[in-house]
Amino acid sequence: MFTHQLWTTRLLTASALCLAALAAPAQTANTLKVGVIGPFTGPSSDFGVQMLQGIQLATEEINAVGGYMGRPFELVIKDDQGTPDAGLKGSQELAAAGVVATLGFCNTGVAQKSLEVFQTAKLPLIIPCATGSPLTAKYPAPESYIFRTSARDAIQAPYVVEDIIRRGWSRVAIFADTTGYGDAGLKDVEAALAAKKLKAVHVARFALGVKDLREELKAARDAGADVVFSYTVGVENAVIANGRKDLNWKVPQVGAWPLSFPFFINGAKDAAEGAMMAQTFIAEPSNERRAAFLSAYKRKFKQALTVPMAAAQGYDSVYLLAFSLFGVRDGNPTGPVVKAALENISRVYYGVVATYERPFSLNDKDAITSNMLVMGRVNNGLVTFARNEDAKQNAVVKRKK
């Protein structure tokens, strides 16, 4: 197994050479400001902090080989606290701060309120976490400054529906919160069921902060549901799981990636066991690049990953931004120039989540496709593979289809 130092050296050799070639004879000491925004405090901080740490790790590695034309990346960090108003304020501050691009958002509803800031300012936004399908569909793709490296719900929902049907479950109860995330996720699940000529037997809606959903769970049980499909974040997912346990209702809970979050797993404890969710990355050292990433993260932050997807997608997003800058040869990465560069990344980036070959284009702003997904399962408080075939194929890092 490679050490992290050797892996980083090999991965970045081409990058360092390219950046050195682009550097002006008299390099400036100025930094290149990159915005970061997400929920670093509050009820979504369990995955917001992990996204930030992945971004910080990649930034440190890129700065070690010179940054962009001798200009190190400087992160300008804003905490959106998981609330739309704080997100809007932070986005406006980033646009005014002179950043060349922004990485961020974990909550779909928070991102939705801020998209216009980035689009109007012609400032590229790369979303490493938020998965709501409308985010990269709000603006016509050729004009859009909104990019994404997380798996949108329009591919997660059908993927999970396909899996539960394979397992013989077809009477689905949907539990979705009333945020933008829950609204969009509910539509995606219902569309995925309709494509299989199915319809939910019960739909429950609830606000964030709900403490008890046993009455809605009783209604779902009485409707004959044999699986609960939840679309909400960690804390509220735990409310659902604990309610099922209190009712002694032993049906599986499935959903999108928030079922892998600590606020769910730690909040539900044994009630979380067996929950299954879509994942882009399971924290197992199946190949040298993933082993090196996991080792580097633990070395820097003195802890193991708790939301591997958030950290890995944040990490890969920084590298994709850096690789795009290879195409900006005049040292003037304005918003429209960076947008065009992201749409035309010419070098393959061998990332942690995927092998990125032309991840974006003028007409496609989503880097992740459904072939990159696997099913995860909570097992003894950790997320591992739900299917043997996914575990066997994990050494292969997939490319976009």
Side-chain angles (χ1 to χ4, degrees):
M1 183 181 295
F2 288 174
T3 64
H4 172 63
Q5 182 179 5
L6 180 57
W7 175 82
T8 301
T9 300
R10 292 193 176 188
L11 176 64
L12 294 177
T13 294
S15 305
L17 291 173
C18 184
L19 291 170
L22 293 176
Q27 292 182 352
T28 175
N30 292 337
T31 60
L32 191 72
K33 292 182 179 180
V34 176
V36 182
I37 187 166
F40 309 132
T41 59
S44 292
S45 60
D46 55 345
F47 63 120
V49 170
Q50 294 272 285
M51 177 192 75
L52 174 61
Q53 290 174 332
I55 290 169
Q56 290 171 326
L57 177 59
T59 299
E60 182 179 276
E61 294 173 356
I62 289 166
N63 285 346
V65 295
Y68 169 66
M69 297 186 71
R71 299 169 65 184
F73 285 11
E74 176 189 347
L75 300 181
V76 182
I77 300 170
K78 300 294 179 181
D79 179 9
D80 66 30
Q81 304 166 37
T83 65
D85 288 342
L88 179 61
K89 181 174 183 292
S91 298
Q92 292 166 338
E93 290 171 350
L94 288 172
V99 299
V100 298
T102 290
L103 311 170
F105 293 114
C106 291
N107 305 93
T108 295
V110 179
Q112 282 177 317
K113 190 161 186 176
S114 292
L115 294 184
E116 188 175 352
V117 172
F118 298 97
Q119 187 70 15
T120 300
K122 296 184 177 181
L123 177 64
L125 169 68
I126 304 175
I127 302 173
C129 282
T131 58
S133 300
L135 297 182
T136 46
K138 181 171 182 178
Y139 305 105
E143 303 167 16
S144 180
Y145 279 76
I146 314 303
F147 299 78
R148 176 160 47 193
T149 57
S150 58
R152 66 192 186 279
D153 293 321
I155 63 173
Q156 286 196 60
Y159 187 81
V160 176
V161 166
E162 184 72 34
D163 184 80
I164 65 177
I165 290 174
R166 286 173 56 186
R167 297 174 188 275
W169 306 324
S170 60
R171 296 183 61 79
V172 181
I174 306 173
F175 278 66
D177 66 40
T178 52
T179 67
Y181 176 64
D183 288 342
L186 173 60
K187 292 177 182 177
D188 286 329
V189 176
E190 289 181 326
L193 290 172
K196 298 295 182 179
K197 298 183 179 179
L198 296 173
K199 185 178 180 180
V201 299
H202 182 77
V203 175
R205 304 302 306 275
F206 52 90
L208 293 185
V210 66
K211 303 299 183 184
D212 188 348
L213 286 168
R214 284 176 293 184
E215 289 304 314
E216 285 286 4
L217 287 162
K218 286 178 184 177
R221 182 186 61 188
D222 292 345
D226 57 14
V227 59
V228 172
F229 200 131
S230 55
Y231 244 97
T232 187
V233 288
V235 173
E236 286 70 26
N237 272 319
V239 171
I240 296 168
N242 287 325
R244 288 191 300 105
K245 179 183 176 181
D246 289 346
L247 296 173
N248 197 30
W249 188 32
K250 297 180 179 179
V251 295
Q253 184 172 346
V254 303
W257 73 303
L259 287 174
S260 67
F261 294 179
F263 285 172
F264 168 64
I265 296 173
N266 297 335
K269 297 184 173 61
D270 60 322
E273 286 293 301
M276 293 187 293
M277 75 301 292
Q279 297 277 275
T280 60
F281 173 62
I282 302 279
E284 294 191 7
S286 55
N287 58 40
E288 59 197 39
R289 72 181 87 161
R290 287 174 171 165
F293 167 73
L294 294 170
S295 175
Y297 177 90
K298 189 172 184 179
R299 185 181 304 113
K300 179 173 177 60
F301 296 106
K302 312 302 181 187
Q303 63 185 38
L305 281 164
T306 54
V307 188
M309 277 179 60
Q313 289 167 181
Y315 178 93
D316 282 352
S317 295
V318 181
Y319 271 102
L320 289 175
L321 175 61
F323 270 50
S324 75
L325 293 175
F326 293 164
V328 184
R329 296 179 175 273
D330 64 358
N332 187 28
T334 63
V337 169
V338 175
K339 172 185 179 293
L342 284 165
E343 294 165 348
N344 294 279
I345 297 174
S346 59
R347 289 169 174 77
V348 176
Y349 166 51
Y350 297 94
V352 177
V353 171
T355 294
Y356 299 91
E357 184 175 11
R358 304 260 328 164
F360 307 116
S361 70
L362 186 66
N363 295 305
D364 186 359
K365 298 302 191 288
D366 279 288
I368 301 298
T369 46
S370 60
N371 66 298
M372 300 175 184
L373 297 177
V374 298
M375 284 298 293
R377 183 199 300 269
V378 178
N379 183 29
N380 293 322
L382 299 173
V383 176
T384 186
F385 292 99
R387 301 190 299 223
N388 289 333
E389 60 264 35
D390 288 340
K392 290 177 181 178
Q393 296 173 9
N394 194 44
V396 178
V397 183
K398 298 174 183 176
R399 298 182 183 226
K400 185 173 183 176
K401 285 187 178 179

